[in-house]
Amino acid sequence: MQILPDAAYAAAELRAALTAAGHRLLIKPPAPKPAVPGGLTLDDFTIDTTAGTVACPAGHTVALAPPASRYQQCRATFTGLCAACPLHDRCTTAKSGRILTIAACAAAAPSLRFARGPVGAE
């Protein structure tokens, strides 16, 4: 069976249960939003939930903080690494550096990026 859920209601637990039941999910997630217009998005960073790290496009790698808050989001803090970075103006307007907030279902991010399709296909 193919299921066409709205991405806003496609919680990680629901996706996992439906996939485990053998259903094929066709979810069009929202396009990533850059912190700076036309700049880098979360998809440009390498998130490794197994190692607990996030690497930026410039090659800086930081620890991924464990899930916190009621939304169970993780954070990757690049403070102190961005000031001299050549990608700073495409990445953030924060003087202290970029902070990424990553949903608890970050492990599903590669499959969601695949589901989004090529740039411009939205």
Side-chain angles (χ1 to χ4, degrees):
M1 175 187 314
Q2 290 187 359
I3 300 172
L4 302 165
D6 183 318
Y9 300 102
E13 296 83 11
L14 175 61
R15 288 194 312 268
L18 291 170
T19 301
H23 301 296
R24 182 172 177 227
L25 304 181
L26 303 172
I27 303 170
K28 182 178 179 180
K33 295 179 182 167
V36 175
L40 303 173
T41 69
L42 192 64
D43 285 353
D44 294 308
F45 291 75
T46 303
I47 302 166
D48 185 340
T49 55
T50 303
T53 60
V54 177
C56 76
H60 301 292
T61 300
V62 298
L64 184 60
S69 81
R70 74 179 209 195
Y71 298 109
Q72 292 298 295
Q73 295 173 325
C74 303
R75 283 189 163 197
T77 306
F78 290 89
T79 46
L81 299 172
C82 302
C85 180
L87 299 178
H88 179 274
D89 292 343
R90 291 183 49 214
C91 190
T92 185
T93 58
K95 292 182 181 172
S96 60
R98 180 126 182 212
I99 298 173
L100 296 179
T101 301
I102 302 161
C105 61
S111 64
L112 292 178
R113 283 194 295 269
F114 177 75
R116 187 179 303 118
V119 174
E122 290 86 28

XYZ file of all heavy atoms in Angstrom:
862
model
N 0.837 -1.167 0.000
C 0.000 0.000 0.000
C 0.893 1.245 0.000
O 1.919 1.273 0.660
C -0.882 0.005 1.262
C -1.697 1.261 1.392
S -2.628 1.455 2.945
C -3.376 -0.105 3.170
N 0.500 2.258 -0.745
C 1.202 3.531 -0.734
C 0.386 4.519 0.085
O -0.842 4.573 -0.037
C 1.385 4.076 -2.142
C 2.361 3.277 -2.956
C 2.656 3.925 -4.303
O 2.118 4.956 -4.647
N 3.517 3.300 -5.053
N 1.075 5.282 0.929
C 0.405 6.247 1.801
C 0.967 7.627 1.493
O 2.180 7.810 1.412
C 0.623 5.878 3.277
C 0.039 4.485 3.528
C -0.006 6.912 4.190
C 0.347 3.925 4.885
N 0.082 8.597 1.328
C 0.486 9.962 0.993
C 0.159 10.905 2.145
O -0.813 11.653 2.104
C -0.239 10.438 -0.273
C -0.020 9.572 -1.508
C -1.037 9.905 -2.574
C 1.386 9.759 -2.029
N 0.969 10.895 3.217
C 0.674 11.767 4.351
C 1.202 13.186 4.136
O 2.088 13.417 3.325
C 1.401 11.092 5.508
C 2.575 10.449 4.857
C 2.083 10.019 3.493
N 0.636 14.100 4.881
C 1.129 15.470 4.919
C 2.399 15.452 5.778
O 2.405 14.890 6.876
C 0.053 16.357 5.546
C 0.426 17.819 5.561
O 1.598 18.144 5.863
O -0.448 18.642 5.288
N 3.454 16.086 5.317
C 4.729 16.080 6.049
C 4.581 16.667 7.447
O 5.292 16.289 8.359
C 5.800 16.842 5.266
N 3.645 17.591 7.630
C 3.458 18.204 8.942
C 2.961 17.194 9.972
O 3.131 17.388 11.167
C 2.481 19.367 8.835
N 2.323 16.123 9.515
C 1.780 15.125 10.429
C 2.556 13.809 10.380
O 2.118 12.820 10.951
C 0.311 14.865 10.099
C -0.517 16.113 10.213
C -0.899 16.817 9.079
C -0.870 16.618 11.459
C -1.635 17.988 9.180
C -1.599 17.792 11.567
C -1.989 18.464 10.430
O -2.701 19.619 10.535
N 3.670 13.792 9.709
C 4.449 12.563 9.544
C 5.506 12.450 10.640
O 6.691 12.576 10.408
C 5.097 12.536 8.161
N 5.053 12.217 11.868
C 5.965 12.070 12.998
C 6.869 10.856 12.783
O 6.499 9.901 12.097
C 5.176 11.914 14.291
N 8.039 10.902 13.377
C 9.020 9.825 13.221
C 8.434 8.474 13.625
O 8.658 7.468 12.951
C 10.265 10.135 14.037
N 7.670 8.452 14.720
C 7.098 7.196 15.193
C 6.099 6.639 14.178
O 6.049 5.446 13.927
C 6.404 7.396 16.550
C 7.352 7.796 17.668
C 7.646 9.296 17.694
O 6.968 10.090 16.991
O 8.588 9.685 18.405
N 5.284 7.519 13.597
C 4.312 7.091 12.598
C 5.012 6.543 11.360
O 4.653 5.486 10.845
C 3.389 8.245 12.213
C 2.395 7.965 11.079
C 1.449 6.835 11.453
C 1.636 9.231 10.734
N 6.048 7.253 10.878
C 6.800 6.786 9.710
C 7.414 5.419 9.976
O 7.358 4.522 9.136
C 7.882 7.792 9.327
C 7.338 9.057 8.706
C 8.423 9.875 8.037
N 9.600 10.069 8.841
C 9.805 11.107 9.656
N 8.897 12.042 9.761
N 10.909 11.221 10.340
N 7.999 5.255 11.160
C 8.640 3.981 11.503
C 7.618 2.844 11.556
O 7.861 1.755 11.028
C 9.367 4.106 12.841
N 6.467 3.096 12.158
C 5.438 2.057 12.270
C 4.902 1.665 10.898
O 4.726 0.475 10.610
C 4.298 2.533 13.170
N 4.640 2.640 10.049
C 4.118 2.340 8.721
C 5.144 1.609 7.860
O 4.810 0.678 7.133
C 3.651 3.623 8.030
C 2.407 4.281 8.637
C 2.182 5.658 8.027
C 1.193 3.388 8.476
N 6.408 2.032 7.958
C 7.470 1.371 7.199
C 7.655 -0.064 7.686
O 7.782 -0.990 6.877
C 8.790 2.161 7.317
O 8.570 3.483 6.820
C 9.909 1.511 6.535
N 7.636 -0.269 9.006
C 7.785 -1.617 9.569
C 6.637 -2.522 9.136
O 6.820 -3.734 8.982
C 7.856 -1.539 11.095
N 5.475 -1.922 8.897
C 4.314 -2.702 8.456
C 4.353 -2.989 6.955
O 3.455 -3.617 6.412
C 3.024 -1.965 8.813
N 5.415 -2.506 6.281
C 5.595 -2.798 4.866
C 4.968 -1.802 3.914
O 4.893 -2.046 2.720
N 4.543 -0.672 4.425
C 3.935 0.347 3.574
C 5.004 1.240 2.970
O 6.056 1.463 3.576
C 2.949 1.200 4.369
C 1.840 0.406 4.977
N 0.912 -0.281 4.231
C 1.525 0.168 6.267
C 0.076 -0.896 5.031
N 0.426 -0.646 6.282
N 4.741 1.746 1.781
C 5.658 2.672 1.114
C 5.153 4.092 1.351
O 4.015 4.419 1.006
C 5.701 2.387 -0.387
C 6.664 3.289 -1.117
C 6.819 2.850 -2.559
N 7.699 3.792 -3.218
C 7.446 4.324 -4.394
N 6.359 3.988 -5.055
N 8.281 5.173 -4.926
N 5.992 4.915 1.953
C 5.590 6.285 2.277
C 6.020 7.235 1.173
O 7.160 7.204 0.719
C 6.218 6.721 3.597
C 5.940 5.826 4.804
C 6.593 6.401 6.042
C 4.453 5.653 5.023
N 5.130 8.076 0.753
C 5.413 9.095 -0.253
C 5.156 10.452 0.394
O 4.053 10.975 0.333
C 4.524 8.897 -1.488
C 4.633 7.524 -2.157
C 3.587 7.377 -3.238
C 6.025 7.337 -2.730
N 6.189 10.973 1.036
C 6.047 12.215 1.799
C 6.865 13.297 1.121
O 8.059 13.136 0.883
C 6.564 12.037 3.248
C 5.810 10.904 3.924
C 6.427 13.339 4.028
C 6.395 10.500 5.260
N 6.234 14.401 0.832
C 6.972 15.531 0.282
C 7.259 16.486 1.435
O 6.391 17.244 1.869
C 6.167 16.248 -0.794
C 6.949 17.395 -1.404
C 6.182 18.086 -2.500
C 7.007 19.231 -3.048
N 6.325 19.940 -4.104
N 8.479 16.412 1.974
C 8.811 17.296 3.086
C 8.981 18.729 2.594
O 9.240 18.965 1.412
C 10.132 16.735 3.608
C 10.730 16.064 2.426
C 9.586 15.551 1.597
N 8.837 19.683 3.503
C 9.050 21.073 3.097
C 10.499 21.290 2.680
O 11.405 20.625 3.182
C 8.705 21.867 4.350
C 8.780 20.903 5.475
C 8.514 19.542 4.910
N 10.703 22.201 1.766
C 12.067 22.529 1.340
C 12.822 23.153 2.512
O 12.238 23.875 3.312
C 12.030 23.500 0.166
N 14.115 22.862 2.635
C 14.890 23.449 3.731
C 14.998 24.960 3.561
O 15.069 25.467 2.439
C 16.259 22.772 3.605
C 16.337 22.350 2.181
C 14.939 22.052 1.743
N 14.992 25.656 4.684
C 15.074 27.117 4.656
C 16.451 27.557 5.136
O 16.871 27.193 6.226
C 13.987 27.717 5.533
C 12.605 27.426 5.004
C 11.540 28.006 5.884
C 10.187 27.627 5.321
N 9.110 27.879 6.231
N 17.148 28.346 4.338
C 18.465 28.816 4.753
C 18.351 29.923 5.803
O 17.355 30.654 5.849
C 19.077 29.361 3.460
C 17.897 29.752 2.632
C 16.800 28.787 2.988
N 19.364 30.031 6.651
C 19.412 31.102 7.646
C 19.647 32.447 6.964
O 19.252 33.485 7.472
C 20.522 30.822 8.660
N 20.295 32.407 5.810
C 20.583 33.593 5.008
C 19.950 33.359 3.639
O 20.153 32.288 3.057
C 22.114 33.795 4.861
C 22.441 34.943 3.948
C 22.770 33.975 6.216
N 19.190 34.308 3.108
C 18.561 34.088 1.797
C 19.575 33.627 0.745
O 20.623 34.232 0.564
C 17.989 35.462 1.446
C 17.754 36.113 2.776
C 18.873 35.630 3.661
N 19.248 32.495 0.104
C 20.134 31.932 -0.911
C 21.350 31.221 -0.349
O 22.224 30.787 -1.086
N 21.404 31.078 0.964
C 22.581 30.498 1.608
C 22.461 29.015 1.894
O 21.657 28.296 1.298
N 23.268 28.560 2.833
C 23.363 27.153 3.190
C 22.159 26.710 4.014
O 21.641 27.472 4.819
C 24.649 26.909 3.984
C 25.957 27.324 3.297
C 27.125 27.182 4.253
C 26.177 26.497 2.053
N 21.729 25.471 3.791
C 20.624 24.905 4.560
C 21.129 23.721 5.375
O 22.290 23.305 5.238
C 19.496 24.416 3.631
O 19.955 23.266 2.914
C 19.038 25.496 2.674
N 20.248 23.152 6.161
C 20.592 21.986 6.964
C 21.096 20.844 6.089
O 21.953 20.062 6.496
C 19.353 21.547 7.754
C 19.555 20.545 8.860
C 20.431 21.119 9.964
C 18.221 20.110 9.426
N 20.586 20.758 4.854
C 21.022 19.707 3.932
C 22.490 19.838 3.525
O 23.083 18.878 3.041
C 20.165 19.704 2.663
C 18.783 19.120 2.892
O 18.521 18.597 3.996
O 17.959 19.184 1.964
N 23.080 21.013 3.703
C 24.480 21.220 3.338
C 25.441 20.728 4.423
O 26.645 20.656 4.207
C 24.748 22.704 3.059
C 24.000 23.189 1.829
O 24.131 22.544 0.772
O 23.276 24.189 1.929
N 24.906 20.405 5.605
C 25.707 19.924 6.719
C 25.639 18.401 6.764
O 24.640 17.804 6.373
C 25.184 20.504 8.039
C 25.420 21.980 8.180
C 24.652 22.896 7.479
C 26.431 22.466 9.008
C 24.871 24.252 7.589
C 26.659 23.822 9.120
C 25.881 24.718 8.410
N 26.718 17.761 7.234
C 26.746 16.310 7.361
C 26.411 15.953 8.801
O 27.188 16.251 9.711
C 28.135 15.751 6.987
O 28.440 16.172 5.652
C 28.157 14.239 7.070
N 25.238 15.348 8.986
C 24.771 14.987 10.324
C 24.994 13.494 10.515
O 24.456 12.679 9.770
C 23.279 15.328 10.482
C 23.058 16.812 10.222
C 22.785 14.926 11.865
C 21.607 17.183 10.034
N 25.808 13.149 11.507
C 26.095 11.746 11.806
C 25.554 11.445 13.202
O 26.220 11.706 14.206
C 27.599 11.490 11.734
C 27.965 10.023 11.905
O 27.131 9.247 12.444
O 29.081 9.652 11.519
N 24.323 10.934 13.263
C 23.710 10.666 14.561
C 24.387 9.506 15.287
O 24.362 9.452 16.508
C 22.201 10.383 14.407
O 22.011 9.327 13.477
C 21.468 11.627 13.931
N 25.006 8.598 14.544
C 25.712 7.480 15.172
C 26.947 7.976 15.913
O 27.190 7.604 17.060
C 26.113 6.426 14.118
O 24.935 6.008 13.439
C 26.786 5.236 14.765
N 27.734 8.835 15.266
C 28.934 9.384 15.891
C 28.614 10.562 16.804
O 29.446 10.975 17.616
C 29.926 9.824 14.817
N 27.419 11.142 16.651
C 27.045 12.300 17.465
C 27.772 13.555 17.039
O 28.167 14.365 17.870
N 27.952 13.734 15.717
C 28.670 14.901 15.210
C 27.918 15.544 14.038
O 27.090 14.905 13.388
C 30.080 14.532 14.716
O 29.970 13.566 13.665
C 30.946 13.987 15.839
N 28.264 16.809 13.791
C 27.763 17.531 12.629
C 28.959 18.246 12.014
O 29.739 18.896 12.721
C 26.683 18.565 13.015
C 26.233 19.358 11.798
C 25.500 17.878 13.666
N 29.113 18.118 10.704
C 30.198 18.790 9.985
C 29.588 19.831 9.055
O 28.607 19.562 8.358
C 31.018 17.791 9.184
N 30.184 21.015 9.051
C 29.703 22.076 8.171
C 30.406 21.956 6.815
O 31.397 21.240 6.687
C 29.941 23.444 8.803
S 31.652 24.008 8.741
N 29.904 22.652 5.800
C 30.520 22.579 4.470
C 31.971 23.057 4.432
O 32.718 22.679 3.545
C 29.641 23.481 3.609
C 28.344 23.547 4.319
C 28.668 23.421 5.777
N 32.374 23.858 5.416
C 33.755 24.342 5.468
C 34.692 23.337 6.139
O 35.901 23.554 6.202
C 33.823 25.680 6.200
N 34.123 22.242 6.662
C 34.959 21.200 7.253
C 35.062 21.223 8.763
O 35.759 20.394 9.343
N 34.376 22.124 9.433
C 34.384 22.146 10.901
C 33.416 21.082 11.412
O 32.292 20.980 10.923
C 33.956 23.516 11.432
C 34.815 24.641 10.975
N 36.121 24.799 11.371
C 34.549 25.663 10.135
C 36.624 25.875 10.796
N 35.693 26.420 10.037
N 33.857 20.298 12.395
C 33.011 19.261 12.982
C 32.834 19.548 14.458
O 33.795 19.836 15.168
C 33.647 17.864 12.796
O 33.802 17.625 11.390
C 32.767 16.778 13.381
N 31.567 19.500 14.899
C 31.248 19.738 16.310
C 30.383 18.601 16.827
O 29.796 17.845 16.065
C 30.517 21.087 16.508
C 31.401 22.256 16.077
C 29.183 21.124 15.794
N 30.323 18.512 18.163
C 29.491 17.485 18.797
C 28.017 17.852 18.665
O 27.643 19.025 18.677
C 29.859 17.360 20.272
N 27.208 16.829 18.534
C 25.760 16.984 18.490
C 25.258 16.780 19.912
O 25.415 15.709 20.488
C 25.161 15.941 17.544
C 23.678 15.977 17.268
C 23.281 17.323 16.652
C 23.299 14.857 16.328
N 24.692 17.833 20.506
C 24.192 17.736 21.875
C 23.013 16.768 21.909
O 22.253 16.674 20.950
C 23.774 19.107 22.378
N 22.844 16.039 23.012
C 21.731 15.092 23.098
C 20.378 15.811 23.053
O 20.300 17.001 23.343
C 21.946 14.389 24.443
C 22.893 15.238 25.192
C 23.668 16.046 24.205
N 19.326 15.093 22.683
C 18.007 15.710 22.594
C 17.608 16.391 23.909
O 17.837 15.855 24.985
C 17.069 14.539 22.295
C 17.934 13.493 21.711
C 19.275 13.680 22.343
N 17.031 17.569 23.766
C 16.589 18.333 24.935
C 15.297 19.055 24.584
O 14.888 19.085 23.435
C 17.674 19.325 25.343
N 14.698 19.631 25.537
C 13.453 20.386 25.446
C 12.286 19.443 25.206
O 12.457 18.250 24.962
C 13.498 21.465 24.370
O 13.262 20.928 23.084
N 11.116 19.987 25.245
C 9.937 19.132 25.079
C 9.813 18.572 23.672
O 9.106 17.614 23.432
C 8.686 19.870 25.493
C 8.230 20.918 24.536
C 6.968 21.565 25.034
N 6.179 22.029 23.917
C 5.201 22.859 24.020
N 4.859 23.318 25.196
N 4.529 23.238 22.966
N 10.517 19.168 22.717
C 10.479 18.690 21.337
C 11.590 17.696 21.030
O 11.703 17.228 19.906
C 10.543 19.869 20.360
C 9.369 20.795 20.517
C 9.535 22.048 21.061
C 8.092 20.394 20.141
C 8.452 22.903 21.223
C 7.010 21.241 20.303
C 7.194 22.493 20.852
O 6.128 23.328 21.009
N 12.433 17.409 22.016
C 13.522 16.449 21.859
C 14.407 16.774 20.658
O 14.701 15.918 19.828
C 12.980 15.022 21.774
C 12.384 14.537 23.069
C 13.410 14.493 24.183
O 14.354 13.729 24.139
N 13.259 15.347 25.195
N 14.824 18.042 20.558
C 15.684 18.471 19.470
C 17.142 18.465 19.915
O 17.456 18.701 21.075
C 15.297 19.875 19.015
C 13.910 19.915 18.422
C 13.466 21.323 18.119
O 13.789 22.251 18.838
N 12.716 21.479 17.049
N 18.025 18.192 18.970
C 19.460 18.218 19.222
C 20.013 19.534 18.687
O 19.439 20.134 17.784
C 20.144 17.059 18.494
S 19.504 15.451 18.947
N 21.148 19.937 19.231
C 21.785 21.168 18.749
C 23.245 20.916 18.418
O 23.925 20.163 19.095
C 21.718 22.268 19.812
C 20.384 22.901 19.894
C 20.444 24.114 20.779
N 19.263 24.912 20.512
C 19.127 26.154 20.835
N 20.095 26.777 21.445
N 18.033 26.806 20.560
N 23.675 21.581 17.372
C 25.091 21.587 16.994
C 25.513 23.056 17.008
O 24.937 23.869 16.285
C 25.289 20.978 15.619
N 26.477 23.378 17.830
C 26.886 24.767 18.031
C 28.259 25.009 17.428
O 29.239 24.405 17.849
C 26.894 25.100 19.536
O 25.607 24.769 20.071
C 27.189 26.561 19.778
N 28.311 25.894 16.448
C 29.563 26.216 15.757
C 30.178 27.528 16.245
O 30.999 28.114 15.559
C 29.314 26.285 14.240
C 29.036 24.948 13.627
C 27.741 24.460 13.548
C 30.066 24.149 13.146
C 27.468 23.218 12.987
C 29.807 22.903 12.588
C 28.506 22.441 12.511
N 29.789 27.997 17.422
C 30.312 29.272 17.927
C 31.832 29.240 18.004
O 32.426 28.239 18.375
C 29.733 29.593 19.318
O 29.810 28.428 20.133
C 28.309 30.052 19.248
N 32.417 30.349 17.611
C 33.868 30.482 17.627
C 34.542 29.942 16.376
O 35.744 30.135 16.185
N 33.813 29.273 15.504
C 34.413 28.696 14.309
C 34.057 29.467 13.035
O 34.641 29.233 11.991
C 33.950 27.240 14.140
C 34.324 26.291 15.270
C 33.637 24.945 15.077
C 35.830 26.114 15.335
N 33.090 30.355 13.128
C 32.531 30.963 11.923
C 33.120 32.322 11.541
O 33.037 32.720 10.380
C 31.019 31.106 12.077
S 30.180 29.541 12.392
N 33.674 33.040 12.478
C 34.114 34.421 12.220
C 35.065 34.529 11.028
O 34.898 35.407 10.182
C 34.758 35.008 13.472
N 36.045 33.654 10.940
C 37.027 33.727 9.855
C 36.694 32.798 8.684
O 37.473 32.701 7.737
C 38.414 33.373 10.403
N 35.550 32.165 8.741
C 35.178 31.188 7.705
C 34.795 31.886 6.403
O 34.023 32.848 6.413
C 34.013 30.336 8.200
S 33.485 29.109 6.993
N 35.285 31.397 5.264
C 34.934 32.003 3.978
C 33.455 31.811 3.605
O 32.934 32.532 2.759
C 35.848 31.311 2.974
C 36.262 30.034 3.629
C 36.249 30.305 5.112
N 32.767 30.878 4.256
C 31.352 30.635 3.970
C 30.420 31.371 4.937
O 29.198 31.247 4.836
C 31.051 29.133 4.028
C 31.807 28.241 3.038
C 31.442 26.782 3.256
C 31.517 28.669 1.614
N 30.977 32.146 5.849
C 30.184 32.812 6.886
C 28.981 33.574 6.329
O 27.861 33.425 6.804
C 31.061 33.754 7.715
C 30.300 34.483 8.769
N 29.646 35.668 8.525
C 30.067 34.181 10.070
C 29.046 36.073 9.632
N 29.286 35.182 10.587
N 29.188 34.381 5.306
C 28.099 35.210 4.771
C 27.001 34.397 4.108
O 25.880 34.869 3.964
C 28.648 36.243 3.790
C 29.509 37.291 4.475
O 29.413 37.418 5.718
O 30.273 37.973 3.783
N 27.294 33.165 3.700
C 26.283 32.280 3.108
C 25.640 31.388 4.165
O 24.670 30.690 3.872
C 26.914 31.385 2.042
C 27.350 32.135 0.803
C 27.912 31.202 -0.265
N 27.046 30.064 -0.512
C 27.496 28.853 -0.840
N 28.785 28.627 -0.968
N 26.651 27.862 -1.051
N 26.174 31.411 5.380
C 25.741 30.474 6.409
C 24.911 31.108 7.521
O 23.889 30.561 7.916
C 26.978 29.799 6.998
S 26.602 28.418 8.087
N 25.354 32.249 8.025
C 24.695 32.828 9.190
C 24.918 34.330 9.276
O 25.874 34.852 8.710
C 25.187 32.154 10.494
O 24.451 32.658 11.600
C 26.675 32.402 10.726
N 24.028 34.992 9.992
C 24.221 36.415 10.294
C 24.679 36.578 11.739
O 25.010 37.679 12.155
C 22.909 37.201 10.091
O 21.897 36.635 10.920
C 22.474 37.178 8.638
N 24.716 35.478 12.487
C 25.134 35.521 13.892
C 26.632 35.779 13.990
O 27.425 35.094 13.356
C 24.777 34.215 14.586
N 26.999 36.745 14.787
C 28.419 37.070 14.952
C 29.174 35.962 15.682
O 30.345 35.732 15.431
C 28.570 38.394 15.688
C 28.097 39.542 14.844
C 28.270 40.867 15.514
C 27.727 41.897 14.534
N 27.620 43.197 14.982
N 28.486 35.268 16.583
C 29.163 34.229 17.358
C 29.231 32.892 16.629
O 29.982 32.015 17.023
C 28.469 34.039 18.704
O 27.131 33.652 18.504
N 28.451 32.725 15.554
C 28.489 31.488 14.783
C 27.137 30.820 14.683
O 26.194 31.173 15.380
N 27.044 29.852 13.827
C 25.772 29.175 13.542
C 25.456 28.120 14.588
O 26.337 27.416 15.074
C 25.844 28.517 12.165
C 24.586 27.778 11.764
C 24.072 28.234 10.470
N 22.820 27.564 10.102
C 22.474 27.306 8.867
N 23.260 27.642 7.874
N 21.328 26.726 8.604
N 24.189 28.025 14.923
C 23.683 26.963 15.792
C 22.591 26.248 15.015
O 21.627 26.868 14.580
C 23.119 27.520 17.111
C 24.216 28.234 17.898
C 22.499 26.388 17.936
C 23.718 28.953 19.133
N 22.769 24.952 14.807
C 21.767 24.155 14.107
C 20.879 23.469 15.127
O 21.369 22.893 16.093
C 22.423 23.076 13.246
C 23.305 23.523 12.094
C 23.869 22.312 11.388
C 22.526 24.379 11.127
N 19.592 23.526 14.909
C 18.636 22.787 15.722
C 18.110 21.666 14.839
O 17.606 21.908 13.743
C 17.488 23.703 16.182
O 18.050 24.786 16.929
C 16.512 22.942 17.053
N 18.267 20.446 15.323
C 17.969 19.275 14.513
C 16.889 18.444 15.198
O 17.007 18.104 16.379
C 19.252 18.440 14.306
C 20.306 19.323 13.648
C 18.963 17.206 13.486
C 21.705 18.817 13.790
N 15.840 18.126 14.456
C 14.748 17.324 14.997
C 15.256 15.963 15.433
O 16.241 15.451 14.899
C 13.654 17.177 13.955
N 14.569 15.378 16.384
C 14.960 14.066 16.909
C 14.975 12.996 15.831
O 15.670 12.006 15.949
C 14.022 13.658 18.040
N 14.254 13.225 14.751
C 14.210 12.225 13.683
C 15.291 12.493 12.634
O 15.125 12.151 11.480
C 12.838 12.190 13.034
S 12.370 13.746 12.264
N 16.405 13.082 13.022
C 17.473 13.404 12.067
C 17.980 12.166 11.347
O 18.478 12.264 10.234
C 18.623 14.109 12.778
N 17.838 11.022 11.971
C 18.281 9.787 11.308
C 17.498 9.555 10.027
O 17.971 8.914 9.101
C 18.124 8.602 12.250
N 16.285 10.110 9.954
C 15.456 9.954 8.755
C 15.769 11.015 7.715
O 15.256 10.953 6.609
C 13.977 10.043 9.125
N 16.624 11.967 8.043
C 16.899 13.080 7.133
C 17.344 12.635 5.741
O 16.851 13.172 4.758
C 17.920 14.032 7.751
N 18.255 11.665 5.592
C 18.635 11.272 4.231
C 17.463 10.774 3.412
O 17.325 11.117 2.249
C 19.677 10.175 4.459
C 20.237 10.461 5.807
C 19.066 11.000 6.593
N 16.562 9.983 4.024
C 15.421 9.486 3.259
C 14.464 10.613 2.918
O 13.840 10.614 1.874
C 14.701 8.382 4.031
O 14.149 8.884 5.227
N 14.341 11.595 3.804
C 13.466 12.724 3.510
C 14.066 13.589 2.408
O 13.351 14.091 1.560
C 13.226 13.559 4.766
C 12.400 12.877 5.854
C 12.271 13.794 7.053
C 11.039 12.467 5.340
N 15.384 13.766 2.411
C 16.013 14.534 1.344
C 15.800 13.824 0.010
O 15.546 14.444 -1.004
C 17.505 14.723 1.620
C 17.766 15.781 2.667
C 19.220 16.192 2.679
N 20.108 15.130 3.064
C 20.492 14.884 4.305
N 20.063 15.607 5.288
N 21.327 13.906 4.560
N 15.897 12.496 0.015
C 15.669 11.723 -1.202
C 14.228 11.905 -1.682
O 13.953 12.082 -2.840
C 15.969 10.241 -0.956
C 15.687 9.378 -2.157
C 16.546 9.382 -3.241
C 14.561 8.588 -2.214
C 16.287 8.597 -4.356
C 14.288 7.803 -3.321
C 15.161 7.814 -4.387
N 13.300 11.889 -0.731
C 11.888 12.031 -1.065
C 11.593 13.415 -1.641
O 10.676 13.575 -2.424
C 11.027 11.787 0.173
N 12.357 14.425 -1.231
C 12.130 15.782 -1.716
C 12.445 15.883 -3.194
O 11.836 16.638 -3.923
C 12.991 16.776 -0.922
C 12.674 18.209 -1.270
C 13.501 19.214 -0.475
N 13.346 19.039 0.940
C 14.319 18.723 1.766
N 15.549 18.554 1.319
N 14.108 18.586 3.049
N 13.422 15.106 -3.653
C 13.779 15.113 -5.066
C 14.794 16.200 -5.384
O 15.273 16.899 -4.505
N 15.114 16.345 -6.651
C 16.116 17.313 -7.040
C 15.669 18.750 -6.770
O 14.483 19.033 -6.732
C 16.291 17.084 -8.552
C 15.254 16.118 -8.954
C 14.577 15.594 -7.742
N 16.646 19.619 -6.615
C 16.367 21.038 -6.397
C 15.529 21.546 -7.555
O 15.786 21.253 -8.714
C 17.687 21.831 -6.281
C 17.405 23.323 -6.208
C 18.469 21.374 -5.079
N 14.501 22.318 -7.224
C 13.634 22.864 -8.241
C 12.450 21.970 -8.551
O 11.559 22.353 -9.296
N 12.412 20.776 -7.964
C 11.322 19.852 -8.242
C 10.141 20.063 -7.307
O 9.176 19.347 -7.385
C 11.825 18.405 -8.109
N 10.254 21.040 -6.394
C 9.187 21.256 -5.417
C 7.913 21.540 -6.105
O 7.401 22.281 -6.624
C 9.544 22.380 -4.436
C 10.649 21.992 -3.487
C 12.048 22.218 -4.024
O 12.259 23.106 -4.857
O 12.939 21.493 -3.625
